[in-house]
Amino acid sequence: MTSTTSPVPRPQPAALQPVERPLRKSLAHLVLLLGSIAMVLPFLWMVSTSLKDQPQTFAFPPTLLPAPFVWENYATVFQIMPFARYLFNSLLISIVATGGTLLSCAMGGFAVSRLRWPGRNLVFTILLSTLMIPYHVTMIPVFVIMNRLGWIDTYLPLTVPSFLGNAFGIFLMRQFFLTLPGELVDAGRIDGASLNRVFWQLFLPLAKPALATLGVFTFMGAWNDLLSPLIYLNSMDKYTVSIALTFFRGQYGETHWPTLMAASLISVLPLMLLYVLSQKYFIQGIATTGLKR
């Protein structure tokens, strides 16, 4: 005669008490609020300094609200140098570099994610390994190449390489394309579409989140780049905003911080506008890129 034993019930985790849930939620909101203040405060201080005069900048105790507001600092930025020209130069370089990066990296990401060809994984591995090479290692060889091509003091060294792709952008687009159903390629080929048409009409429209993410990163990198314009540009009328900001240090014998902060705020506005316009797709791209079905 066999005896049956009832299974021993496993202990269940204790449920949170009704009072603990609002407390934890309030603590989480408090931490997020403090973090937000810590990140926003430097920006508010930059705005405040841009509306002060030089004595108010070094006043003690420091005050966040200027008294009076010195709006002339923004006019001074455009009076002491052709700052509008530098803004246009940076905008031109950033737009061309962003467009070239989006095109080349989207095509490269599609090739290494959805096309089957010999050595695909090996080529992708070698491509990723280039991320470990510092920019300063390749800086001199690339400069020699650009010099022999006669591209020094032109925008070509700052824009043409973007049409050749980069490891980070190709990796980002590859990871996003892997989240899309693979049957899209087969369905397109069955309908008689070429691979070129499959890419442009099926995959690329669905890649808006990843393209927005890569576009924001690329535009920010090109806009804030200081080293490359210093290396390749010699004419002052071709300088970018990042170089122009360095001129404000010592422009008046000593650094005039209100004018410098005003110029910095003006240079940040295009980046803020870009992020606001692409915020929806940018957050979606950050959340979905890297997931693989």
Side-chain angles (χ1 to χ4, degrees):
M1 184 176 180
T2 60
S3 60
T4 59
T5 59
S6 58
V8 179
R10 295 181 178 179
Q12 299 294 330
L16 294 176
Q17 298 298 325
V19 180
E20 295 181 0
R21 291 180 179 177
L23 181 60
R24 289 190 177 186
K25 192 174 182 180
S26 300
L27 290 176
H29 287 173
L30 179 61
V31 173
L32 293 176
L33 178 62
L34 294 177
S36 302
I37 294 175
M39 298 186 67
V40 173
L41 187 59
F43 179 77
L44 293 178
W45 195 261
M46 179 178 66
V47 176
S48 174
T49 305
S50 68
L51 296 173
K52 296 178 180 179
D53 53 19
Q54 188 76 337
Q56 290 186 65
T57 306
F58 301 98
F60 187 83
T63 58
L64 185 62
L65 188 64
F69 288 86
V70 184
W71 299 99
E72 291 79 7
N73 292 329
Y74 291 91
T76 305
V77 172
F78 296 92
Q79 292 173 358
I80 62 177
M81 65 174 60
F83 200 74
R85 174 67 183 180
Y86 299 149
L87 286 173
F88 175 79
N89 295 342
S90 293
L91 188 63
L92 177 63
I93 294 173
S94 301
I95 291 177
V96 175
T98 302
T101 300
L102 293 181
L103 176 63
S104 58
C105 292
M107 297 175 67
F110 179 76
V112 297
S113 63
R114 291 306 180 186
L115 302 185
R116 299 179 180 90
W117 42 280
R120 181 185 66 175
N121 295 331
L122 177 61
V123 171
F124 182 66
T125 302
I126 296 175
L127 181 66
L128 285 184
S129 64
T130 61
L131 290 173
M132 296 183 293
I133 303 177
Y135 171 75
H136 304 83
V137 174
T138 60
M139 182 172 59
I140 295 179
V142 172
F143 176 81
V144 173
I145 295 175
M146 298 300 177
N147 187 32
R148 292 184 177 180
L149 291 174
W151 288 1
I152 302 301
D153 201 23
T154 67
Y155 294 146
L156 295 178
L158 306 176
T159 55
V160 171
S162 63
F163 289 88
L164 305 178
N166 60 79
F168 172 76
I170 293 176
F171 170 76
L172 191 71
M173 297 304 302
R174 173 187 179 271
Q175 295 304 107
F176 183 85
F177 284 141
L178 288 177
T179 64
L180 302 178
E183 292 78 9
L184 285 176
V185 178
D186 299 331
R189 298 306 299 270
I190 291 175
D191 291 338
S194 62
L195 286 176
N196 186 38
R197 188 175 179 184
V198 169
F199 169 73
W200 287 103
Q201 296 187 4
L202 292 180
F203 277 80
L204 201 60
L206 296 175
K208 290 181 181 179
L211 291 174
T213 303
L214 180 59
V216 170
F217 285 146
T218 305
F219 190 92
M220 289 179 57
W223 184 271
N224 295 324
D225 188 14
L226 174 63
L227 185 58
S228 296
L230 280 175
I231 295 175
Y232 297 111
L233 301 179
N234 299 325
S235 302
M236 290 192 62
D237 60 332
K238 297 179 181 179
Y239 282 170
T240 60
V241 169
S242 56
I243 299 180
L245 291 178
T246 62
F247 293 158
F248 286 94
R249 298 184 60 87
Q251 183 72 24
Y252 296 88
E254 62 175 344
T255 302
H256 194 267
W257 293 105
T259 308
L260 176 59
M261 292 298 103
S264 301
L265 182 59
I266 295 174
S267 66
V268 170
L269 292 180
L271 299 180
M272 296 178 60
L273 180 61
L274 174 65
Y275 179 75
V276 170
L277 294 178
S278 61
Q279 181 179 10
K280 175 183 176 182
Y281 294 110
F282 178 78
I283 296 176
Q284 185 179 355
I286 290 293
T288 58
T289 302
L291 301 178
K292 180 179 178 181
R293 294 181 181 179

